[in-house]
Structures are given as structure tokens and as C-alpha cells.
Amino acid sequence: MNIMILGSGGREYSIGRMLEKDEAVAKLYFAPGNGATSRLGENLSIKDYDELAQFALDNSIDLTIVGPEAPLVDGVVNIFKAKGLTIFGPSKEAARLEGSKVYMKNFLAKYNIPTARYIETDHIETAFKFIETLPVPVVVKADGLCAGKGVIIAMNHDEAKKAVSEMLSGKSFGDAGKNVIVEEFLDGYELSMFAICDGKDYILLPAAQDHKRLLDGDEGPNTGGMGAYAPTPLVDDTLYQKVKDRIIRPTLDGMQAEGAPFEGVLFIGIMVVNGEPITLEFNVRFGDPECEILMPLMQTPASELFYKAATSQLDSLHVSFSKQFAVGVVMASRDYPCKGSTPAEIVVDDIVHDEIAQNTHIAYAGVSEEEGILYATGGRILVCIGLGDSIKEARDRAYLLCGQVHFSGKKLRTDIAYQAL
Ligand code: AMP
Ligand code: GLY
């Protein structure tokens, strides 16, 4: 099989890493990939989706896997499918579950899927009135894609009103904020759950926890994620079953009824409140860094899983997962989450201890390559992943690996997986 992966992050690297080890895979391409994916396959500099689809036709690509949300929301899947290509990811219509929070919330309400009480509006007075009825904090969300920054947790009513005004005026997020969601604050613990879907069937992966804040103790600004671990002991069989029955099944059935069957990764952001799972949001792709820790737990060949998902054959697939735990610690550049670091050489010391070497690896993200040397180019640079028979063992190994990786300005959290220990 020839496979193409769209994207350039650690998420795409980690999918590629699994496929590179997969006997069924002949050739791997990344578009655009990063400085380290070129070690797993060939990087392509084609950006235009029509040109990418033509490349896939010309080079007998059997399967394309889409990593990030932007090409999905833009409709890359529709473009590929129109040319008869096999591609794993939701259509433009189904990707609205992430592309528009208003669409997502209205969908949840229509199909009685648990979510925070809310209104959607483009009318300032309506928003203000609803804010007055809510206890504090109040959550205000911009409708469109805002690179993870479109959610404001306002500590009082005035702050919530200010956030609404700035969104509706276009000041804070441009057109993405022309519609807003105002919703009640949910107090509980957060989970990330991932279902690989083929439109009607799905495979649920072990539940993960992300660490969105930049600093230890969940302090500092929000980021794309500074580390993750899975499976989390905070989920038992009862909770998995509730998520399946109350969220995933009605979502797949509902999307079919809407004429937009959901194929791809359904990423469910969940808040567990008094033992009940409430949907915070959907994303239509793998989380990053969650993907980096879930991929190594998968024992079924990745090519088979993604191909069957892309061709509506999940009902004939049995997926097995490793009994191990995985912990991933993100190393970011000095200026993350603001961009603009100068490139810094990455040095990884040899790991001489076999057990550590066999149970750790790096997923590379913000890196470039020159003459065999990798350089940190800014943002999230890489993820150090540790596997183990307990979360503690996996975490100790991940941090041991972190100690072997050096680049100027490296920044990391020291408390990943603290919730589980
Ligand atoms: P979202 O992009 O909707 O997932 O929101 C980003 C983050 O904001 C979530 O991961 C939560 O930590 C937080 N958040 C969003 N909505 C709520 C809510 N209704 N109650 C509490 N926290 C929330
Ligand atoms: N780690 C969260 C995300 O990918 O959105």
C-alpha cells in the first residue's frame, strides 16, 4: 500500500511512524511533513488540494490520511473522493462538527446529546440577558476556528459581556466571532476520547487526558497541549458505556440522518460532572499530543485500521490494544505559545539502558533538517513518549528520555499525568 499523510506535526509523525513499521506499507508520503518525517517517507511541498489529489492518482496512492482540521473544514476529503480516491477523514459537511461551534451545539441539542446549557446568538442584548441568568464563571465561545483560542472562561458577568462584545464586533476573532455561544460552566474533570468512525461503525480508543496549560499545576496560558497520557484510570467500564450510548452512537446516527455521515476521527472533549459525561466539544481529527501516545498502544496494523475505516469496513475489524500505559511530554521552544524562536540544534544522547531505549521514543513536530541534523524551529518541537506497565513507569521513562534531549530554550512541564498518580 502507498499512503499519504497530510499535515506536519507530531501527530502526523506518530501516524507515519506506525505505518513505516507496517509490513503492508510500501511507500509513505507526507504533505508537507516536517524535518523528521523525511526519515520515514518522502515529504511533498504541494499545497493545493487539487494538485495533491492529482499526485495521489499519478502515484498510485491507496490511502490518504488527513491530520489537521483546516484541510478537512476546507473540504479536502470531498475533492479526493470526487476523483475516486480513498481518504480517511470527514467530508466538509461532517467537519462542521469542529468548524462551527454553533453547528455542533445545535446538533447536540437536536439529538439530545448531553452538553452544557447554552444559547447561540449574533445579538448582543440576547447574549447579555442570558449571561445575567448564569452563575459565574461563564463560558463564551466564538463560532469558527480560532486555533484553540476561541474560548473565554469569564470570571464575572462584566468580563463575559466584554468577551461577547469583542467577538461580535469582529475585534477578537474576525469573522469566526460573528456568532457566539454563551454557556454554563461545567465543573468536573476533562477527558479526551477518540472514536475511529466509518460513517456507521466505530472503534473507541483508550481514554486520554491532555494538559492544555503551559505551566505545571495547570497554570499559565492555554496551548495546543503540553503532554498527555492514556489510558486514564479515571474512566471505568460504566463511563465508557455511557460515552458510547449517550454520545458516540447518537452522534453517528444523527450525522447519518443529517446526510453527513461521519467518517474519520471523532475527538470528543468530555467533562465528567458527578460521574456523568457531558460533551464539551467535538473535533474531527486526532488530538495532538494525544495521537502520539495512542498510536503506540495500537496493536492492530495502522494501515488496516485506517483503510478499513476509510472504506466502511470497521464492522469486520477487531482492534486490539496493548496492556501498557503511554505518557507523552511535549518539549516546546522558549517562546511557545507565541511563535518566532531562532532555530536551535537538537541533540539526543544515546540511551544505553536497553529497557529504557525499547520503551521510549520521540515524535517530532516543529523541526527542520539540514545535513542530517535536526533543528528546533519553534512552537511544539517534539514529544518524548514513555511506555510502561503502570502510568508511573511510563512517566518515569518519558522523563528519562526528556533528560537526554537538548536544544537551546527547551521548555516542558514536569507534572504530566499528575491527575493519575
Ligand atoms: P473547547 O475548545 O470548547 O474544548 O474549549 C477549550 C477548553 O475550555 C476546554 O478544553 C475546557 O477546558 C474549557 N471549557 C470549554 N467549555 C467549558 C465549559 N462549558 N465549562 C468548563 N470548561 C469549559
Ligand atoms: N490536544 C488538544 C488538541 O489537539 O486539540
Side-chain angles (χ1 to χ4, degrees):
M1 230 193 262
N2 297 324
I3 300 185
M4 176 156 77
I5 300 173
L6 307 189
S8 63
R11 169 177 54 205
E12 290 76 21
Y13 181 95
S14 71
I15 296 171
R17 181 178 169 275
M18 295 307 286
L19 291 170
E20 197 252 344
K21 294 193 289 190
D22 187 329
E23 282 171 6
V25 179
K27 176 119 206 214
L28 260 183
Y29 296 92
F30 295 86
N34 62 46
T37 55
S38 53
R39 296 174 174 181
L40 304 172
E42 186 180 332
N43 285 353
L44 304 171
S45 54
I46 309 168
K47 288 202 181 78
D48 181 79
Y49 301 140
D50 287 299
E51 281 178 44
L52 277 170
Q54 194 55 48
F55 179 90
L57 283 174
D58 295 344
N59 291 273
S60 312
I61 304 284
D62 301 288
L63 172 67
T64 299
I65 299 170
V66 190
E69 63 276 20
L72 295 168
V73 171
D74 289 346
V76 72
V77 168
N78 306 54
I79 292 171
F80 272 58
K81 284 193 172 172
K83 289 196 187 325
L85 290 158
T86 302
I87 182 163
F88 177 68
S91 65
K92 184 179 178 129
E93 295 70 33
R96 280 182 298 174
L97 282 182
E98 173 164 3
S100 165
K101 287 196 192 293
V102 168
Y103 177 85
M104 183 258 303
K105 290 292 286 191
N106 290 343
F107 172 85
L108 293 173
K110 180 171 175 184
Y111 291 95
N112 268 318
I113 299 167
T115 190
R117 203 157 57 85
Y118 76 104
I119 56 157
E120 81 121 308
T121 184
D122 59 1
H123 187 245
I124 197 158
E125 289 306 325
T126 312
F128 282 12
K129 260 197 205 133
F130 187 65
I131 287 170
E132 290 293 346
T133 69
L134 291 176
V136 289
V138 173
V139 183
V140 181
K141 301 183 177 183
D143 177 35
L145 289 181
C146 303
K149 296 177 185 72
V151 176
I152 309 285
I153 314 271
M155 297 320 284
N156 56 55
H157 287 160
D158 285 343
E159 211 180 286
K161 288 177 182 170
K162 183 161 169 270
V164 165
S165 308
E166 289 183 355
M167 284 184 195
L168 289 179
S169 68
K171 192 171 151 198
S172 32
F173 303 109
D175 280 349
K178 288 283 167 68
N179 259 312
V180 295
I181 301 278
V182 179
E183 70 180 27
E184 66 176 339
F185 178 81
L186 299 173
D187 198 4
Y189 61 90
E190 255 184 280
L191 298 173
S192 305
M193 292 240 213
F194 298 88
I196 310 253
C197 307
D198 72 358
K200 43 186 205 331
D201 294 301
Y202 68 93
I203 283 159
L204 184 58
L205 306 188
Q209 267 199 315
D210 186 17
H211 300 62
K212 288 206 170 83
R213 302 297 198 96
L214 182 68
L215 304 173
D216 283 0
D218 294 325
E219 303 276 348
N222 259 325
T223 70
M226 292 300 290
Y229 73 95
T232 167
L234 299 172
V235 182
D236 59 13
D237 288 345
T238 312
L239 192 56
Y240 274 117
Q241 201 56 48
K242 285 181 182 170
V243 171
K244 288 179 180 176
D245 296 345
R246 296 182 195 170
I247 302 176
I248 303 176
R249 191 70 265 165
T251 297
L252 291 188
D253 292 348
M255 290 304 280
Q256 270 187 292
E258 295 295 311
F262 191 87
E263 299 170 17
V265 180
L266 183 68
F267 167 173
I268 313 154
I270 294 171
M271 188 74 85
V272 182
V273 183
N274 301 323
E276 303 301 323
I278 318 272
T279 315
L280 278 181
E281 65 159 347
F282 285 133
N283 295 302
V284 298
R285 46 154 180 101
F286 269 119
D288 190 344
E290 291 96 322
C291 186
E292 288 92 312
I293 51 142
L294 290 170
M295 281 298 124
L297 296 178
M298 210 105 78
Q299 287 179 329
T300 305
S303 63
E304 194 184 355
L305 174 65
F306 292 125
Y307 188 80
K308 288 207 158 161
T311 52
S312 294
Q313 299 183 72
L314 282 183
D315 57 344
S316 68
L317 182 70
H318 174 76
V319 173
S320 50
F321 301 103
S322 144
K323 294 268 171 289
Q324 284 191 301
F325 294 85
V327 173
V329 180
V330 170
M331 284 195 180
S333 62
R334 189 196 319 269
D335 301 322
Y336 185 69
C338 311
K339 290 252 156 136
S341 303
T342 42
E345 182 177 344
I346 301 172
V347 176
V348 182
D349 296 336
D350 275 345
I351 296 171
V352 288
H353 197 301
D354 278 348
E355 203 179 84
I356 305 297
Q358 280 154 18
N359 285 288
T360 55
H361 65 272
I362 298 173
Y364 288 99
V367 299
S368 65
E369 193 256 3
E370 222 171 293
E371 292 177 8
I373 295 172
L374 289 179
Y375 293 87
T377 53
R380 291 184 290 177
I381 306 304
L382 52 85
V383 188
C384 289
I385 295 131
L387 298 167
D389 295 332
S390 65
I391 291 174
K392 184 173 184 312
E393 188 176 58
R395 168 173 142 142
D396 288 347
R397 287 172 176 167
Y399 277 110
L400 261 168
L401 177 59
C402 288
Q404 306 291 96
V405 179
H406 317 280
F407 60 89
S408 173
K410 82 174 184 188
K411 191 154 84 177
L412 71 162
R413 275 181 65 159
T414 64
D415 64 347
I416 301 304
Y418 76 89
Q419 304 98 318
L421 293 173

